[in-house]
Amino acid sequence: MPRIPVLRNRLENRPVAGGKRVLLAAPRGYCAGVDRAVIAVEKALENFGAPVYVRKQIVHNIHVVTTLEQKGAIFVDEVGEVPVGAHVVFSAHGVSPAVVKGAADRELQTIDATCPLVTKVHREATRFARDDFEILLIGHTGHEEVEGTMGHAPERTTLVTSPADVANIVVKNPDNLVWLSQTTLSVDETMETVRLLRERFPTLQDPPSDDICYATQNRQVAIKKVAQDADLVIVVGSANSSNTVRLVDVALEYGAAAAYRVDYASEIRQEWLDGVNTVGVTSGASVPEVLVQEVLDDLADAGYGDVSQVVTAEEDLMFSLPKELRKDAAGNPDERALGGRIRQLDWQKAAIASDDVVVND
């Protein structure tokens, strides 16, 4: 995984039959949970000074992690690597109760940057386990969010990684069964898994509300619209970002002739653009807009300067910061405490200022 952009020759403007354009998906990029988590690390550094430790990557984006490292954040795999008494931030993906206990045993000063939508799933797991349910958790093996959720009900949770797993699941009581999911999955694949589970276990209960987060769903809906008209889709984001990787899959499934993931614009290959009239562009929920803009700048060099946004939803959800960070170092209320760094996302500002395509269905 690249830590810094790779230098290379700029893209060439080679001729194709017909015009060239970019369809820019919106929503894209930072969601409220990511914004909150990144600001949490930034504010911890401001308030308490470097170093501040972070368990796992705060969000799954290599550019964000590298930038925070340069500011003084130290990323570790486990709380046992953090010096006794130091400040440690839990990532947006959440942690298990065992991790919380481990931090307390080392007298660490913890800041919980878990996305509130992940916390909701943790509470559901705890409640269903308390009520004697078995839990079928749909998610990816080894993902931090899955490990954290399973840690809240380890004795009662079975992981379902794909529709192919369904036939081999063994449960003790099929009449007391509920499904939950990782928040960053493909909506379509998750619903197919649920359909198959319900064929095997007709009394399977649904969670009280949708577990797949609004941002994941919105970005998948947007790229579905873009993919229908795109010869090529470029998805900006890191390889360990589940929601980013799913965007590539969704683009291909919904009509894009080709789709690739890049961390940086420098990874775009000239041959990807051969014969391409329409390029679709989007980014995962942990990707800062600056990386998308670099992709657009490079595509403009290749003649793709006509950019229209395809807007399928507007997002205005904001999460308050962890309580330890709602004041600045001097003890004064911080204006970012309730709602993050932004009141209106970059893509929303651009859409309002232009005549871009807006899709409402």
Side-chain angles (χ1 to χ4, degrees):
M1 184 178 295
R3 301 290 288 183
I4 58 174
V6 178
L7 297 178
R8 55 131 179 84
N9 295 326
R10 299 189 74 83
L11 296 171
E12 300 174 11
N13 187 356
R14 296 179 180 175
V16 298
K20 294 182 175 182
R21 64 172 179 164
V22 171
L23 296 180
L24 184 58
R28 64 179 178 274
Y30 267 17
C31 64
V34 165
D35 195 40
R36 174 183 187 265
V38 175
I39 293 175
V41 179
E42 293 173 343
K43 277 193 56 59
L45 288 165
E46 292 172 11
N47 288 7
F48 310 123
V52 165
Y53 293 83
V54 185
R55 183 186 180 273
K56 306 293 188 181
Q57 291 189 356
I58 185 66
V59 297
H60 285 162
N61 184 266
I62 197 63
H63 177 82
V64 171
V65 169
T66 301
T67 301
L68 291 173
E69 283 178 330
Q70 292 169 349
K71 294 179 179 180
I74 296 177
F75 292 86
V76 298
D77 284 330
E78 298 299 341
V79 293
E81 301 172 52
V82 181
V84 172
H87 286 91
V88 63
V89 181
F90 295 147
S91 82
H93 306 106
V95 298
S96 70
V99 173
V100 175
K101 182 180 184 303
D105 290 344
R106 294 185 64 78
E107 299 180 345
L108 302 182
Q109 301 182 63
T110 59
I111 299 167
D112 189 358
T114 302
C115 173
L117 300 181
V118 175
T119 299
K120 176 185 78 71
V121 181
H122 289 178
R123 290 171 177 166
E124 290 170 352
T126 300
R127 178 167 63 84
F128 282 120
R130 185 187 64 229
D131 293 341
D132 206 30
F133 278 84
E134 287 183 72
I135 300 166
L136 300 180
L137 176 63
I138 303 171
H140 295 147
T141 303
H143 193 282
E144 289 115 272
E145 182 185 329
V146 167
E147 292 176 349
T149 299
M150 293 189 73
H152 283 75
E155 306 284 324
R156 308 195 66 83
T157 305
T158 299
L159 181 62
V160 184
T161 63
S162 72
D165 283 355
V166 173
N168 300 317
I169 291 173
V170 177
V171 300
K172 296 177 181 177
N173 183 0
D175 294 324
N176 221 25
L177 200 60
V178 65
W179 70 272
L180 301 176
S181 79
Q182 181 181 330
T183 64
T184 56
L185 299 181
S186 161
V187 177
D188 294 338
E189 184 175 352
T190 300
M191 290 303 100
E192 174 63 10
T193 302
V194 172
R195 183 187 69 79
L196 294 173
L197 286 171
R198 187 159 280 117
E199 285 184 358
R200 281 205 62 199
F201 309 109
T203 60
L204 177 71
Q205 295 194 33
D206 297 325
S209 61
D210 196 349
D211 284 345
I212 297 178
C213 89
Y214 77 96
T216 296
Q217 296 185 57
N218 286 349
R219 281 146 191 74
Q220 290 177 15
V221 169
I223 202 58
K224 288 176 183 180
K225 291 291 183 183
V226 167
Q228 295 171 6
D229 298 311
D231 305 305
L232 165 70
V233 166
I234 295 173
V235 178
V236 186
S238 291
N240 63 335
S241 167
S242 176
N243 75 86
T244 295
V245 174
R246 296 289 79 72
L247 289 172
V248 176
D249 297 337
V250 171
L252 292 170
E253 182 179 353
Y254 278 81
Y260 300 98
R261 180 202 59 79
V262 300
D263 272 287
Y264 298 101
S266 57
E267 297 169 43
I268 299 173
R269 298 181 183 178
Q270 183 73 51
E271 58 265 29
W272 294 352
L273 301 174
D274 289 346
V276 168
N277 297 107
T278 301
V279 181
V281 175
T282 190
S283 59
S286 53
V287 177
E289 186 68 7
V290 62
L291 299 184
V292 176
Q293 188 57 55
E294 289 175 357
V295 167
L296 296 178
D297 290 344
D298 275 24
L299 288 174
D301 288 342
Y304 298 89
D306 178 9
V307 180
S308 296
Q309 295 206 75
V310 179
V311 183
T312 56
E314 293 187 5
E315 295 177 350
D316 56 8
L317 182 64
M318 294 177 286
F319 296 132
S320 59
L321 294 181
K323 61 181 182 300
E324 299 88 353
L325 302 173
R326 294 176 190 172
K327 295 182 179 180
D328 61 23
N332 301 311
D334 191 307
E335 63 179 8
R336 295 171 294 178
L338 300 175
R341 80 181 75 242
I342 46 179
R343 290 293 184 267
Q344 191 174 73
L345 298 179
D346 292 340
W347 66 262
Q348 291 174 308
K349 295 176 184 176
I352 290 170
S354 70
D355 295 323
D356 290 335
V357 179
V358 177
V359 181
N360 293 316
D361 59 340

